[in-house]
Amino acid sequence: GGRILTAAGLGIRNAQITITFPTGETRAAKSTAFGYYRFAEIPSGATYVISVAAKRFAFSNATQIRVVEDETLDLDFVADE
């Protein structure tokens, strides 16, 4: 999990976050009014691809690759100005 933020640090609501498993399976989530999102029951020890998209916002780093070893709550995305 993490947050979707504007360049000014405000949360972005209803951003679409997608996680892709090593098998190719995907899951989607939407951010809350304060920009928070979370995926539950993600097996640890694997590499995942996490992407974000939001209306009216662009992200230079819209995709991140992360090895999940434990609960992760710092996978943030920050929109361009």
Side-chain angles (χ1 to χ4, degrees):
R3 285 187 82 189
I4 313 301
L5 303 164
T6 66
L10 301 173
I12 298 173
R13 91 169 49 193
N14 292 327
Q16 179 80 22
I17 304 94
T18 304
I19 187 167
T20 304
F21 289 71
T23 61
E25 173 192 352
T26 61
R27 289 191 201 166
K30 286 200 179 234
S31 58
T32 66
F34 297 104
Y36 290 98
Y37 73 94
R38 184 177 182 145
F39 291 99
E41 299 181 26
I42 303 297
S44 62
T47 302
Y48 298 91
V49 178
I50 302 94
S51 302
V52 65
K55 292 181 181 179
R56 301 185 350 244
F57 294 96
F59 297 85
S60 294
N61 191 13
T63 300
Q64 296 186 35
I65 298 171
R66 178 75 66 102
V67 176
V68 175
E69 295 295 337
D70 200 358
E71 184 173 41
T72 302
L73 297 174
D74 65 346
L75 192 55
D76 299 341
F77 291 89
V78 180
D80 301 337
E81 288 190 43

